[in-house]
């Protein structure tokens, strides 16, 4: 680590709801890394707070009959209570609605304005006459013009990932009441991201080696498309007022002020905040977040700071986790599905158990799933049977057979009994753990820590001190003295992950909390030192309780047998009517720069498709191709032109490469199927895009798979010129 001072932030959770376990993944990850840095002796400030502005707050307040300030006060206290329960150790905890964030946001805006990066323009907004309010982008629901998804939000389509403006949606509706809003034009302010593109690209090139792969991939996908001007103001009452004449009745869009909240919250809590936030050469800004927050932190937030022309501390390290899902469903407070922060506090498990599970199951490269069976297995087999077992048996042995007093032993004794090779192996594990934590490979580091504990149990078991204590007291003295010091090291190693457990171990050992530089000193707790009584660190969870917890948090989830589940999943594929089609002609879309209009032959009929392939194929490359089409997809108008189905293409998310699915030797109209559905009648009913998106198709080694079965026709397997990816 070149820099010795660290600012560590976690994405600010939105204040209007209770954080669930998925939300807590990145918050606890940031806390683990912060505690590690402190143990290493670095200067650290950790920052978290609640994101409190925007219409979501206004709507929640209206729903509960409170003012926006009252709803924020209510949920802020709940958030703080939950993070305190989870033993999160923030140096700066605050709120984006407090005056310091208002001050910093206005200062940054004014400097961006003076530097020429703010432009005036008009925005066509949607106004709901029924709700008597302008509708922010995310509260307009309609059909995506790119992929046809019929529940796309006005800021971004969750199905295809394209950024949107509300006026681009087909058949837009108010998300609150379902009525059709009317369009109103008004003046707004825009951030000129296009003017900052080259500087942002240079910034990304300098820092991206310290970012997770998903962050690099998404950031470069944005940059390759070219940055566009982005509106930063809204016609709302709850937010930071715009300090510019003519815009007094507008507020900043929450995505503008939310990341600035990191700075404002630091200012709330630290008089020396400028020494940290205006010190890019000496301070490393390390940020943790979920994958939906990437561009806001790699492009937008840096662009504000760079555009001020001040020496702001810019993002250095970035750790982005994927999603944690609940069983086979999404977390939903309203439906009672999944475990939320307020639930956890009443279940009787100590906070360290939750911290351990979320980190050992941390979704670092792919989405992971919380399940009660897995939770119980890890608690019983790893925490109880491994770590808890070692600590209890070593300390109880000293209390029982040595009158709570550490026996005599030295380094030469350790080499003779424990062996130098084994001690070196343990010290190499310490070095590897340190490197993993430095790289923010938190799951890998924790697995290695549990391996240290496993080695300790092996040493205890192999030497059988309970048998040897009368025949060979000297050997037992050496083994127990070594293991006491190994337990001391484990207390240091687990502290970032399980601070409560670490504190308990240090208390049982009757010593003050030690830091990272004490690792590997196996003579630190010396002969004659008195320890305290042992106690259990973890309690085993029984099968009966697991079943009760499953039922309690399953919400309205339908109980189906494995056989029925497999049948249901097979039927999901049968909802598709996939056909081979030949592209007969390709024309420019009259109203969209990125879309083509294709005429295709489906064997017994001709159709028209609209496809976003212009970036990836020329017209000539497409004509004559035998492609795969979802022939029973509900028609949709994309920028004024009807698309009667959808062609399928694969995308490698790491490289951004897109290739169409092909069946070159199959006749137009040929059915595309998987082996388990061969001979079954394909679905003739029209399906909406939302139903199609639930059916996940993947690319592997140039073939396309539904689960483990390759898509094929009677003549060939469907192919795509990619080694891996997803199908859209």
């Amino acid at each position: 680590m070149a820099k010795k001072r660290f600012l560590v932030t976690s994405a600010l959770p939105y204040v209007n709801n209770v954080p669930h376990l998925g939300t807590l993944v990145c918050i606890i990850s940031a806390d683990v890394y912060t505690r590690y840095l402190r143990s290493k002796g670095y200067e650290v400030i950790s920052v978290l707070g609640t994101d409190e502005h925007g219409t979501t707050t206004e709507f929640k307040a209206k729903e509960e009959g409170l003012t926006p300030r009252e709803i924020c006060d209510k949920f802020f206290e709940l958030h703080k209570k939950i993070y305190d329960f989870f033993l999160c150790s923030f140096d700066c905890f605050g709120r984006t609605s407090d005056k310091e964030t208002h001050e910093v946001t206005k200062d940054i805006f004014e400097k961006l304005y003076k530097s020429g990066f703010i432009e005036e323009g008009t925005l066509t907004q949607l106004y709901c006459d029924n709700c008597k309010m302008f509708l922010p982008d995310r509260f307009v629901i309609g059909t995506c013009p790119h992929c046809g998804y019929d529940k796309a939000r006005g800021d971004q389509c969750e199905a295809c990932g394209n950024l949107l403006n509300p006026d681009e949606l087909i058949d837009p509706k108010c998300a609150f009441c379902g009525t059709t809003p009317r369009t109103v034009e008004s003046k707004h302010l825009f951030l000129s991201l296009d003017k900052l593109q080259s500087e942002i690209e240079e910034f990304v090139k300098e820092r991206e080696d310290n970012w997770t792969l998903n962050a690099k991939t998404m950031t470069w996908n944005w940059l390759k498309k070219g940055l566009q001007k982005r509106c930063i103001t809204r016609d709302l009452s709850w937010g930071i007022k715009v300090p510019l004449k003519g815009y007094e009745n507008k507020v900043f869009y929450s995505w503008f002020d939310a990341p600035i909240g990191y700075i404002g919250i630091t200012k709330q809590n630290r008089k020396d905040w400028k020494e940290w936030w205006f010190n890019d050469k000496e301070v490393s800004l390390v940020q943790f977040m979920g994958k939906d927050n990437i561009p806001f932190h790699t492009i937008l937030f840096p662009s504000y700071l760079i555009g001020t022309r001040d020496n702001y501390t810019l993002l250095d390290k970035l750790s982005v986790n994927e999603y944690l899902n609940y069983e086979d469903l999404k977390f939903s407070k309203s439906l009672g599905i999944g475990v939320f922060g307020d639930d956890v506090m009443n279940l009787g498990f100590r906070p360290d158990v939750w911290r351990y599970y979320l980190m050992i199951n941390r979704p670092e490269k792919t989405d992971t799933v919380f399940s009660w069976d897995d939770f119980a297995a890890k608690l019983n087999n790893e925490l109880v049977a491994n770590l808890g077992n070692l600590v209890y048996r070593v300390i109880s042995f000293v209390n029982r057979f040595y009158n709570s007093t550490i026996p005599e032993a030295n380094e030469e004794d350790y080499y003779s009994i424990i062996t130098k090779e084994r001690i070196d192996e343990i010290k190499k594990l310490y070095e590897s753990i340190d490197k993993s934590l430095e790289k923010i490979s938190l799951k890998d580091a924790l697995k290695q820590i549990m391996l240290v504990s496993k080695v300790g149990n092996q040493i205890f078991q192999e030497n059988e001190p309970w048998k040897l204590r009368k025949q060979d007291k000297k050997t037992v003295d050496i083994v127990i003295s070594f293991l006491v010091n190994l337990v001391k090291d484990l207390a240091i190693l687990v502290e970032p992950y399980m601070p409560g457990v670490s504190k308990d171990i240090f208390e049982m050992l009757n010593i003050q909390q030690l830091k990272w530089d004490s690792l590997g000193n196996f003579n630190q707790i010396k002969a004659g030192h008195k320890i305290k009584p042992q106690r259990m660190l973890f309690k085993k969870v029984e099968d009966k309780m697991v079943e009760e917890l499953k039922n309690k948090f399953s919400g309205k989830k339908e109980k189906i047998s494995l056989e029925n589940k497999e049948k249901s999943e097979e039927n999901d594929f049968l909802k598709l009517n996939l056909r081979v089609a030949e592209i007969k002609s390709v024309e420019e879309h009259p109203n969209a720069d990125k879309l083509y209009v294709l005429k295709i032959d489906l064997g017994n009929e001709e159709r028209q498709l609209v496809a976003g392939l212009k970036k990836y194929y020329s017209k000539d490359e497409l004509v004559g191709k035998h492609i795969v089409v979802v022939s029973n997809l509900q028609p949709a108008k994309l920028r004024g032109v009807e698309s009667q189905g959808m062609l399928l293409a694969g995308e490698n998310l790491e490289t951004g490469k897109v290739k169409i699915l092909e069946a070159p030797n199959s006749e137009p109209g040929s059915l595309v199927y998987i082996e388990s559905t061969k001979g079954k009648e394909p679905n003739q009913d029209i399906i909406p895009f939302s139903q199609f998106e639930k059916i996940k198709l993947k690319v592997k080694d140039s073939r396309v798979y539904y689960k483990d079965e390759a898509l094929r026709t009677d003549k060939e397997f469907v192919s795509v010129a990619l080694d891996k990816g997803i199908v859209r």
Side-chain angles (χ1 to χ4, degrees):
M1 292 184 180
K3 298 179 181 180
K4 300 297 182 185
R5 303 172 72 193
F6 294 85
L7 270 168
V8 181
T9 76
S10 175
L12 304 182
Y14 205 75
V15 77
N16 76 322
N17 214 329
V18 182
H20 56 67
L21 292 182
T23 312
L24 286 156
V25 168
C26 80
I27 292 171
I28 292 173
S29 296
D31 190 60
V32 168
Y33 186 68
T34 297
R35 288 175 177 275
Y36 159 71
L37 292 173
R38 290 189 191 127
S39 186
K40 290 277 288 184
Y42 295 114
E43 284 188 80
V44 191
I45 291 180
S46 61
V47 183
L48 185 72
T50 45
D51 178 6
E52 300 193 351
H53 292 134
T55 301
T56 315
T57 299
E58 287 188 358
F59 183 71
K60 187 71 173 178
K62 187 188 296 186
E63 193 176 60
E64 297 198 12
L66 301 171
T67 66
R69 170 57 68 187
E70 287 171 338
I71 204 75
C72 289
D73 290 346
K74 171 186 171 180
F75 278 100
F76 174 78
E77 290 304 319
L78 179 57
H79 275 251
K80 188 175 187 308
K81 186 177 180 182
I82 289 168
Y83 305 140
D84 286 345
F85 171 82
F86 278 95
L87 307 177
C88 294
S89 56
F90 310 112
D91 299 291
C92 302
F93 187 72
R95 327 168 55 168
T96 61
S97 64
D98 282 348
K99 66 181 179 67
E100 289 83 359
T101 298
H102 284 237
E103 292 166 356
V104 177
T105 300
K106 289 176 180 179
D107 179 67
I108 286 175
F109 165 76
E110 287 167 352
K111 287 174 179 173
L112 286 168
Y113 187 78
K114 288 175 184 176
S115 299
F117 296 119
I118 302 294
E119 298 179 26
E120 292 187 309
T122 58
L123 188 68
T124 301
Q125 290 181 266
L126 295 175
Y127 185 86
C128 179
D129 289 304
N130 185 49
C131 295
K132 303 269 190 280
M133 62 187 292
F134 283 100
L135 297 176
D137 300 352
R138 64 182 292 113
F139 290 104
V140 183
I141 305 294
T143 300
C144 174
H146 302 289
C147 68
Y149 176 49
D150 62 358
K151 288 184 176 60
R153 296 196 317 253
D155 59 347
Q156 187 173 19
C157 176
E158 292 178 330
C160 67
N162 278 299
L163 294 178
L164 299 169
N165 288 315
D167 60 332
E168 293 180 278
L169 290 174
I170 300 161
D171 192 23
K173 302 287 185 186
C174 171
F176 299 135
C177 68
T179 60
T180 301
R182 62 185 172 91
T183 57
V184 178
E185 277 201 356
S186 62
K187 282 201 315 178
H188 281 276
L189 298 172
F190 293 76
L191 176 65
S192 306
L193 287 172
D194 51 329
K195 293 180 182 177
L196 286 160
Q197 169 132 1
S198 60
E199 292 178 72
I200 293 296
E201 286 184 357
E202 191 60 34
F203 154 77
V204 172
K205 288 174 185 175
E206 288 176 358
R207 317 279 174 126
E208 66 176 328
D209 286 347
N210 292 328
W211 300 357
T212 46
L213 179 61
N214 50 8
K216 288 188 276 192
T217 301
M218 185 176 287
T219 301
W220 280 111
N221 283 345
W222 267 52
L223 290 169
K224 286 171 184 174
K225 289 177 183 177
L227 300 181
Q228 306 295 318
K229 296 178 180 66
R230 194 169 174 93
C231 185
I232 63 169
T233 54
R234 281 294 180 265
D235 291 295
L236 301 173
S237 58
W238 177 245
I240 300 175
K241 296 292 184 184
V242 178
L244 190 66
K245 189 175 181 181
Y247 292 88
E248 296 88 351
N249 294 325
K250 298 184 191 293
V251 300
F252 288 113
Y253 200 172
S254 57
W255 66 259
F256 182 72
D257 67 71
I260 296 173
Y262 300 125
I263 306 171
I265 290 167
T266 311
K267 185 180 180 182
Q268 289 171 32
N269 291 273
R270 301 278 297 220
K271 290 182 180 179
D272 63 345
W273 67 280
K274 287 187 177 180
E275 295 176 22
W276 290 84
W277 280 104
F278 293 88
N279 199 352
D280 191 53
K281 289 184 178 178
E282 295 182 17
V283 176
S284 175
L285 174 57
V286 185
Q287 301 199 280
F288 290 80
M289 68 201 62
K291 61 184 175 183
D292 52 337
N293 279 312
I294 291 170
F296 297 99
H297 291 78
T298 61
I299 292 176
L300 299 177
F301 186 36
S303 72
Y304 319 157
L305 303 184
I306 291 169
T308 63
R309 300 315 187 204
D310 286 336
N311 182 38
Y312 269 106
T313 302
L314 300 176
L315 170 63
D316 182 13
K317 290 188 173 185
L318 177 59
S319 179
V320 179
N321 59 263
E322 302 287 317
Y323 293 143
L324 175 75
N325 296 314
Y326 179 78
E327 299 285 352
D328 56 352
L329 299 169
K330 289 185 176 180
F331 287 89
S332 171
K333 190 70 171 175
S334 60
L335 296 177
I337 298 171
V339 187
F340 287 72
D342 52 351
D343 302 317
V344 170
M345 294 188 287
N346 301 313
L347 291 179
F349 299 102
R350 66 183 302 172
D352 304 80
V353 171
W354 293 102
R355 287 175 64 106
Y356 176 82
Y357 183 78
L358 291 177
M359 292 300 97
I360 207 69
N361 200 35
R362 186 173 184 250
E364 293 185 344
K365 295 180 180 177
T366 59
D367 291 354
T368 59
V369 174
F370 173 92
S371 79
W372 285 110
D373 288 330
D374 188 48
F375 177 82
K378 286 184 166 59
L379 170 54
N380 293 342
N381 301 332
E382 297 173 14
L383 292 180
V384 174
N386 183 0
L387 178 62
N389 181 54
L390 176 66
V391 173
Y392 189 85
R393 69 201 303 200
V394 170
I395 292 178
S396 63
F397 196 93
V398 175
N399 282 319
R400 182 179 179 186
F401 297 111
Y402 288 96
N403 192 28
S404 304
T405 305
I406 305 302
E408 184 74 43
N410 57 45
E411 191 169 359
E412 289 182 7
D413 293 333
Y414 293 154
Y415 286 163
S416 66
I417 302 300
I418 309 299
T419 74
K420 184 177 185 304
E421 289 75 20
R422 194 163 219 172
I423 293 171
D424 287 345
E425 174 194 342
I426 292 169
K427 289 183 177 180
K428 282 180 182 176
L429 266 175
Y430 293 169
E431 291 173 8
S432 181
I433 292 164
D434 187 42
K435 287 177 182 176
S436 293
L437 279 165
E438 187 176 322
K439 293 187 297 184
I440 319 182
S441 296
L442 304 184
K443 183 193 293 188
D444 185 54
L446 184 52
K447 287 179 179 179
Q448 293 178 82
I449 291 169
M450 297 305 286
L451 184 55
V452 172
S453 180
K454 184 178 179 181
V455 171
N457 276 304
Q458 290 170 347
I459 292 171
F460 193 97
Q461 202 66 27
E462 290 166 5
N463 286 282
E464 300 182 320
W466 63 93
K467 289 184 181 179
L468 278 181
R469 64 186 183 83
K470 291 182 179 178
Q471 305 99 297
D472 189 355
K473 183 177 180 301
K474 178 64 176 174
T475 295
V476 175
D477 289 353
I478 294 166
V479 170
I480 295 302
S481 175
F482 179 83
L483 288 175
V484 165
N485 279 281
L486 184 69
V487 166
K488 173 265 298 180
D489 282 358
L490 279 167
I492 297 168
L493 291 167
V494 302
E495 191 277 334
Y497 296 92
M498 295 180 281
V501 166
S502 174
K503 182 181 177 184
D504 287 352
I505 297 173
F506 281 125
E507 285 179 357
M508 285 187 275
L509 292 174
N510 196 23
I511 60 174
Q512 294 295 313
Q513 180 178 322
L514 298 171
K515 302 292 186 181
W516 210 260
D517 58 6
S518 292
L519 286 173
N521 182 352
F522 296 113
N523 289 301
Q524 191 152 14
I525 303 179
K526 299 185 182 298
H529 175 76
K530 283 274 190 178
I531 66 169
K532 293 183 178 180
Q534 71 277 5
R535 57 183 185 270
M536 300 292 291
L537 293 173
F538 310 102
K539 293 179 184 177
K540 187 176 181 181
V541 58
E542 302 297 336
D543 292 344
K544 182 181 177 182
M545 185 179 184
V546 173
E547 290 306 312
E548 290 172 356
L549 291 167
K550 283 182 185 178
N551 292 329
K552 182 174 182 178
F553 295 103
S554 62
K556 299 174 183 177
K557 178 181 172 184
E558 185 181 345
K559 306 292 189 296
I560 55 176
S561 68
L562 180 61
E563 180 182 346
N564 287 337
K565 183 178 178 183
E566 288 172 349
K567 185 176 179 181
S568 170
E569 289 171 344
E570 175 193 291
N571 288 341
D572 279 346
F573 185 83
L574 283 172
K575 291 173 184 175
L576 300 179
N577 192 334
L578 300 182
R579 298 284 176 174
V580 176
E582 182 181 357
I583 300 175
K584 305 302 287 186
S585 68
V586 182
E587 302 295 337
E588 303 280 342
H589 191 294
N591 305 315
D593 294 337
K594 299 177 181 178
L595 302 178
Y596 281 139
V597 180
L598 285 61
K599 298 292 185 184
I600 62 167
D601 176 12
L602 269 169
N604 59 353
E605 63 174 314
E606 288 195 353
R607 288 196 195 177
Q608 174 176 280
L609 299 183
V610 179
L613 293 174
K614 198 169 181 182
K615 180 179 176 181
Y616 309 104
Y617 291 90
S618 68
K619 296 179 193 176
D620 291 341
E621 286 177 309
L622 289 172
V623 174
K625 294 278 191 188
H626 285 214
I627 59 172
V628 176
V629 173
V630 186
S631 67
N632 64 327
L633 193 69
Q634 183 178 348
K637 280 196 174 182
L638 304 184
R639 304 299 289 271
V641 177
E642 187 174 54
S643 185
Q644 302 160 331
M646 182 175 72
L647 69 79
L648 296 182
E651 179 181 5
N652 184 319
L653 296 177
E654 294 177 10
T655 63
K657 191 176 181 182
V658 171
K659 292 292 179 182
I660 56 174
L661 274 56
E662 297 187 57
N665 301 311
S666 301
E667 296 298 320
S670 299
L671 179 67
V672 176
Y673 58 89
I674 54 177
E675 198 60 37
S676 62
T677 64
K678 185 176 182 180
K680 295 182 180 179
E681 190 67 25
N683 184 23
Q684 302 300 322
D685 295 332
I686 299 298
I687 63 170
F689 182 81
S690 57
Q691 200 168 85
F692 164 75
E693 69 164 344
K694 294 176 183 176
I695 303 164
K696 306 298 183 185
L697 304 177
K698 294 186 177 181
V699 177
K700 182 180 178 183
D701 298 329
S702 302
R703 286 189 181 175
V704 181
Y705 292 86
Y706 176 72
K707 301 198 179 295
D708 296 324
E709 296 186 85
L711 272 61
R712 60 167 305 140
T713 67
D714 284 336
K715 289 190 175 181
E716 62 193 324
F717 287 105
V718 172
S719 61
V720 58
L722 296 171
D723 58 348
K724 61 180 178 179
I726 61 171
V727 173
R728 289 177 174 168

